[in-house]
Structure formats: C-alpha cells, structure tokens
Amino acid sequence: MKLLKRKEIDVQKWDELIAHSPAETIYPYSWYLDAVSENWSALVVDDYRFVMPVVWKKKAGMRYIYQPYYTQQLGVFSREYVEPELIRKMLTYLYRKFRFGCVNFNIKNLVGEEKPFTVDDKSNYVLPLNRAYEDHYASYNSNTKRNLKKSLEQADQLERNLPVEMLIKLKRENDVIKRSKEDYVWMNHLFETIKERDAGTVYGLRQDTEISAAAFFAFSKTRAIYLLSASSPEGKERRGMFRIVDTFIREHAGSERILDFEGSNIPSVARFFGGFGAQPDIYQGVSFSRLPSTLTKLK
C-alpha cells in the first residue's frame, strides 16, 4: 500500500482501471480530479489492483481530506469486488497521515461503522436507460406526466449544446446558495474542461430571447450525470426542467447508459428524480478527526 503524489501516478494505469471498474463514473478519472482539486494523491495497492483518490488541502499547517464540489463519489476502485476489510485498512492508513477528513465512497464500496470513523448513508437516484422511450415514459408518475404536459404546451424552444457561460449566468442569477465571483469562475472552468473533452453538453429552453432553464449532462463510459441545473422563476413556472430531462431520456433511451441524477437527500428533489422512474442507490460518507476538541472549528 503506497500513497503516491500526483506526479508519481501512472495516469494510463489509473484511468484504465477506472474505466473497467464496476463503479466507473466521471469523478475519479485523473483529468477530472485535476480539474476539481488543488491537490490529490493516490492510495495504491498491489500495482494498481486497488486505487483510492485522496483529495486534500492544508489548513494551519495540517493536511486534511475533503470531497470536492461536483464530485459526488470517490472511494476505492478496482476491476474486482473490494473487501470491506481492505477499505478499513486503507482508511486506517489515511487516518495516520491526515489530521481530519471526509470522503464519499462509491456505491460498490461497503464501509463498516467502526470507530474512529463516522459513516453516513446517502441516496443517489439513478435510471438505467436500457429500455425504449415508450417504456420509460410509462414509468413516469402522474405528477411528472402532468408537469411535462404543461411544459410541452409552451412555445419554448429546446436547444442543445448551449455555451457553458449561458448556463453559469442563469445559475448565478437564480442561485439559492450565496457564492463568490471566484466560485462561478471556477464552475465555468470546470464545465468548459468537461465540454472540451467531449464529455458534456448543455440542454436549455429558450423563452423568447432568454434561457429560462438549462442543465449540464456529463458523460463517462457508463453514465450520463445530471451535473448542474438552473432555472429562472419563469422556467420553474413553465416546468422547463421536466422537458429537459424528458428530452434527454428520449434521445438516449436504449443506450445502456445510466442516467445519474447525483442525489438527493432533499425530499422535493428526490421526488423530482423519482418521478422519472429513477431509483435510489445508497453510498456512504465517511469522516474522521484527530483534532483536539479546542481545534474542531478548523473543520
């Protein structure tokens, strides 16, 4: 078991392993980790038989592990089943190297709830796009069908491959979270990076001359991830996001990809995803701390 610095990682071996992992998704690829983090290292076992990305920062001279934005799941990846005992050993190794940390493991990892680690179960909604569109539509609940009908009655024009900056502008103008100007610059850079690799696209609805709703879908080998969405008050009123998601399902039905909604533990958001027939997948968040009680505010 070795903790490798970023420059020591064999990127070809790393990305090949991720691509063939049962837990394959966009987040652990080397280029994506480069885009979302300031520093990341790799815990590697048996010459890339098992790997775990370790994203970290320094605060007050102490290194800590954190989960980057727009990176729902990391954890241990392999071509084979990862034994819980190995995950425990890898966590114990990191516990000795870092003062505190939190990381979301992937859906194929099982983490035992043992001290000094705190484990929380989280929900992610997914929809395998392995059926014809008509079969998917039949699985929509009545609320989703009603809202989709309302959206389709509008004269709004659905557009594909919109510029990332239009989505970020819509997000900034209607964000429910207070963010800095630098946050939106970072977001724009991340989504441009994904798009430049032909790994993402923006769907949007135009109401007259304005974009009222938009969503970014990111693609990995096996998944299409609903990575970012935004709506104006008019877009919400006109149920624009229902039409965007339905259009994506229509265009990718039968593709064998998994539509990954990236959450959510928020009941109203979970109902929106579940309305399209998506089902919850459980993944686990793990945290630990070796900080004295007087320094817990550092976390």
Side-chain angles (χ1 to χ4, degrees), residues 170 173-174 207 211-214 230-238:
L170 184 66
E173 292 173 348
N174 299 279
Q207 179 188 344
I211 298 298
S212 60
S231 295
S232 66
E234 294 79 10
K236 292 177 181 178
E237 174 64 26
R238 297 162 82 90

Side-chain angles (χ1 to χ4, degrees), residues 39-204:
N39 306 289
W40 68 279
S41 301
L43 195 54
V44 177
V45 179
D46 292 346
D47 191 24
Y48 295 87
R49 182 181 173 191
F50 303 94
V51 302
M52 179 179 177
V54 181
V55 182
W56 59 274
K57 288 182 180 179
K58 269 188 177 180
K59 184 182 288 188
M62 294 181 290
R63 294 196 307 166
Y64 66 95
I65 300 171
Y66 72 101
Q67 192 77 19
Y69 291 121
Y70 301 103
T71 310
Q72 187 196 62
Q73 299 177 34
L74 292 175
V76 184
F77 295 85
S78 177
R79 286 180 172 85
E80 59 195 90
Y81 174 69
V82 184
E83 295 285 350
E85 180 57 31
L86 176 60
I87 295 175
R88 172 73 184 187
K89 288 179 180 178
M90 296 173 83
L91 274 171
T92 301
Y93 184 97
L94 295 174
Y95 180 80
R96 298 188 184 116
K97 297 282 187 181
F98 295 87
R99 295 303 298 272
F100 61 93
C102 62
V103 60
N104 291 339
F105 280 72
N106 63 67
I107 56 169
K108 297 298 183 180
N109 293 161
L110 180 61
V111 184
E113 298 188 26
E114 301 177 43
K115 292 184 178 180
F117 305 105
T118 301
V119 181
D120 296 308
D121 288 346
K122 303 181 180 185
S123 295
N124 179 44
Y125 278 74
V126 296
L127 177 65
L129 298 175
N130 55 358
R131 298 177 292 165
Y133 170 75
E134 292 74 19
D135 293 333
H136 283 293
Y137 180 81
S139 297
Y140 294 1
N141 66 22
S142 58
N143 181 65
T144 297
K145 289 178 180 177
R146 183 169 58 252
N147 282 294
L148 177 60
K149 183 175 183 290
K150 180 175 180 177
S151 180
L152 289 169
E153 288 171 351
Q154 312 299 324
D156 302 345
Q157 181 180 354
L158 192 138
E159 299 183 14
R160 299 160 185 79
N161 205 30
L162 285 171
V164 168
E165 62 185 23
M166 295 182 73
L167 169 61
I168 301 302
K169 178 177 181 290
L170 184 66
K171 185 70 174 178
R172 184 176 66 246
E173 292 173 348
N174 299 279
D175 211 337
V176 296
I177 299 173
K178 187 176 181 180
R179 308 178 201 260
S180 67
K181 179 181 178 181
E182 291 73 21
D183 289 336
Y184 294 107
V185 171
W186 182 88
M187 288 167 62
N188 192 82
H189 173 72
L190 170 61
F191 291 103
E192 286 287 7
T193 299
I194 299 171
K195 195 172 181 183
E196 286 167 5
R197 296 186 68 95
D198 292 325
T201 190
V202 180
Y203 281 57

